[in-house]
Amino acid sequence: MLFVAIAVVACFQLTFGSQVPVCKAVNVSGAVISEDANWNPKTIVYKYNFKMKITFDKENKTYPNVISLSDYEDWSTNSSLYFRTSSLYFVYEYNLGFGTSGVNCDYFNETCIVSIPNGQITSSNPMALSDGTILSGQGYFLDENNPCVNGTGVTYDWRTSNGSICCTEFDYVEIPDKNESGQNYYYNGIILGEIIRRNENFYKYNNEPFTLNDGCITKSSGVPYYGTATYNTTFCCTKFKQDPVFTTSTTTTTTVPLATTTLKPASDPRSNAIGSLCSNDTTKAWLDIAFVIDTSKAMTKTALKQLAGDISTYMQDFTFAQIGDHTVRAAIIGYASNVTTYYNLTDTTNYDDFVDALFNLADSDDSGGNVQGALQQAYKLLTSQPSQRKQLIVLIAAAYNSEGFQGADLTASIIKQNGICIVVINFESSQGVLSTALQNISCPGYYYISKDSDLNAKFPYALTQLHCICPPGSLQFREYNIAWKNYTNYGDCLLGFGTATNPNIAERVCYPGVLAAVTSQSKLDFITDQILPYAMPNKKKFTIGLHRSSTSEEWKWWGYNGTEYPFGNFPSMSNTPEPNDNWGYMWNHYGFNWTLQTGYNTQLPYVCQLRACDAEYICDQTQAKAILDKVEAVKNNDITFE
């Protein structure tokens, strides 16, 4: 079953200039991957693709997006085991309590047309829809430089669903002045209105300014898929002139503070951190990297030497060795019409030998560009020379060759679906077709241009981010980095459980992790958007790791490895704790407003967090599965686990 849910568009990309491209059509593809007993990906068992176009019906406020779906194709390793069991189903979230009402697309061999609301499709195909425009899953514009996004769906019965969209058709719209950002507000999955920030001021969602005489705007419409129900929302500006312009809404996600709350200086940086930072210590990285380098006629002898110098500089702080936990191995593969392995992973001895191999690359008069063959060779090399290290591919290309790129995007998709990320560097080429082709190959946010003056900082940081990973079965907390157009991964791996449980038992279930430390609005939003709807739908309360310390009677968070650190500025307490209160929990008291509460051993659903594997920490990849086993033990009243 292809299951598509509508949620909310959270934000819009920064745009500058008079025109911006907006996506009007995409190719949608996806796959189901089997996993072994430790939840490691193995092989693709089912895949599909289809075309999707969008138009805007401005007369229909509730269902403004007219979607046309066509050319559906699928493939299965065994059609008796893996097959489509239903039509494509656009479904509204459960948040309003009325189940999976939605719109079916019954036709798969001919064009199907449906009308659906604005919102985010929260399946493995990461897209959002807004008034006739297709956006990334985070609500950012797709453009010629960033036409594709990838996503990962839920894991079930030892299978994981992955998907991607690539924009194939653009339109252009006028954006006056400097459009800095936009924010959609929603209640229980229904988008209620947009606030636009431009030239350091806030504007109404119809681009009109707030004024003293007209300081509010009201939006009303029908509730999608819910009969005659309607909503009304008013947004008002509360500060004008020299004061910072700020808008309020009756439905924004907030936490409610005590009237006397003041910001406290942090005695421990973790108290007010967004999340646990992943290590960026390159000297302790543990990676197997296959460098795939264009050695065709497009790369002159001078260009190859320049590239060798660049890569040598990027990699100089990594620890090269064949053995050792916190070490890096590297392979070098060159391609033109043919593919040649110049340096194997098993050849790695030290950094100097790797640099020598880079500078020994020979230029060629061959104008071929067998990118697909080179990626296949890199994948074969990584899988045939394995180690305990995180595997990735770095592709450097200087020219587009239609024959050589044929099938490269599909090969790249299979590689990525098997857990190997592809970092791409466009080497000084201004070819638009090369840029698009390479972004289709790269992992989202890991496409770079060699002329980028910050690449010597971005590239090493990217490598440390890529091996900040979570055990299968958990979800990594991350934020989109607008400046670098990729995600910032945090070292927190989250799992939610819907069974009401004594916090002391929940704490033991979470070991070797801890109950979640919700120290920022971003992390709370991630939990409420990405964890709660799936682990505990319709639950209004969940236990967190805030507790009264047995050593000091102060309220503290649990850190990893049995440490504690003080409660900081977030979330604010709405009430003074009772003397015997010992655990904190979050309460969704109305709309999307969450309040911190405290109680004594209050039995509630709970969220765990595990420490992610990163440069400094090589973790057990089965620990999320072990937690799930303990959850079953609790359900069976068997709590004698360690």
Side-chain angles (χ1 to χ4, degrees), residues 150 288-290 375 382 390-395 412 415-424 441-446 462-463 466-467:
N150 299 321
D288 276 344
I289 310 171
L375 290 174
L382 287 168
K390 173 68 176 174
Q391 298 174 326
L392 61 92
I393 295 171
V394 177
L395 170 65
I415 291 171
K416 290 181 287 188
Q417 288 167 0
N418 279 279
I420 300 175
C421 189
I422 303 175
V423 179
V424 172
I441 290 171
S442 70
C443 287
Y446 292 99
L463 299 194
L466 285 171
H467 77 4

Side-chain angles (χ1 to χ4, degrees), residues 363-386:
D363 60 322
S364 170
D365 291 329
D366 187 341
S367 59
N370 188 5
V371 172
Q372 182 186 26
L375 290 174
Q376 290 172 339
Q377 177 64 15
Y379 180 68
K380 180 180 178 181
L381 187 148
L382 287 168
T383 54
S384 64
Q385 300 176 18

Side-chain angles (χ1 to χ4, degrees), residues 24 39 84 146 173 186 195 202 229 232 239 244 265 303 318 330 333-334 336 402 407 492 529 558 577-578 590 634:
K24 308 299 288 186
W39 296 358
R84 177 175 56 82
N146 296 281
V173 297
Y186 68 104
I195 298 298
F202 286 94
N232 258 300
K239 293 186 180 181
F318 289 81
I333 296 169
S402 58
D492 300 320
D529 291 344
W558 285 115
E578 295 295 330
Y590 73 92
V634 171

Side-chain angles (χ1 to χ4, degrees), residues 552-563:
S552 65
E553 291 297 308
E554 296 178 353
W555 286 92
K556 294 186 177 182
W557 299 103
W558 285 115
Y560 300 120
N561 299 324
T563 60

Side-chain angles (χ1 to χ4, degrees), residues 166-293:
C166 285
C167 190
T168 58
E169 182 180 320
F170 292 97
D171 196 1
Y172 291 85
V173 297
E174 296 287 337
I175 298 292
D177 301 318
K178 178 181 175 183
N179 191 56
E180 294 163 347
S181 63
Q183 175 70 51
N184 277 352
Y185 293 92
Y186 68 104
Y187 174 75
N188 280 352
I190 303 168
I191 296 177
L192 301 171
E194 179 189 352
I195 298 298
I196 298 171
R197 190 181 184 208
R198 180 176 296 122
N199 298 330
E200 299 183 355
N201 291 304
F202 286 94
Y203 289 77
K204 302 173 184 178
Y205 61 81
N206 58 3
N207 287 314
E208 294 179 359
F210 292 95
T211 66
L212 289 171
N213 294 328
D214 186 15
C216 298
I217 188 169
T218 298
K219 183 175 182 180
S220 60
S221 182
V223 177
Y225 312 129
Y226 201 46
T228 59
T230 61
Y231 67 83
N232 258 300
T233 307
T234 299
F235 298 80
C236 293
C237 183
T238 59
K239 293 186 180 181
F240 291 92
K241 296 182 180 179
Q242 301 302 317
D243 293 328
V245 181
F246 179 72
T247 58
T248 61
S249 164
T250 58
T251 55
T252 54
T253 302
T254 60
T255 57
V256 181
L258 286 168
T260 57
T261 296
T262 57
L263 297 181
K264 305 183 290 292
S267 58
D268 188 307
R270 294 176 293 178
S271 298
N272 294 320
I274 295 174
S276 303
L277 294 177
C278 296
S279 171
N280 61 359
D281 187 347
T282 54
T283 65
K284 295 183 178 179
W286 38 283
L287 296 167
D288 276 344
I289 310 171
F291 286 91
V292 178
I293 299 173

Side-chain angles (χ1 to χ4, degrees), residues 113-188:
I113 299 175
V114 294
S115 295
I116 60 178
N118 290 333
Q120 181 187 45
I121 296 176
T122 56
S123 71
S124 56
N125 300 107
M127 73 180 93
L129 310 175
S130 180
D131 290 344
T133 298
I134 302 172
L135 309 165
S136 75
Q138 292 72 43
Y140 292 92
F141 290 125
L142 301 171
D143 56 35
E144 293 94 334
N145 293 324
N146 296 281
C148 301
V149 288
N150 299 321
T152 301
V154 297
T155 299
Y156 53 95
D157 293 338
W158 309 116
R159 292 183 293 276
T160 297
S161 60
N162 289 329
S164 66
I165 63 167
C166 285
C167 190
T168 58
E169 182 180 320
F170 292 97
D171 196 1
Y172 291 85
V173 297
E174 296 287 337
I175 298 292
D177 301 318
K178 178 181 175 183
N179 191 56
E180 294 163 347
S181 63
Q183 175 70 51
N184 277 352
Y185 293 92
Y186 68 104
Y187 174 75
N188 280 352

Side-chain angles (χ1 to χ4, degrees), residues 63 87-92 101-105 113-116 225:
Y63 307 97
S87 59
L88 185 61
Y89 192 35
F90 293 91
V91 59
Y92 216 70
S101 300
V103 177
N104 279 318
C105 202
I113 299 175
V114 294
S115 295
I116 60 178
Y225 312 129

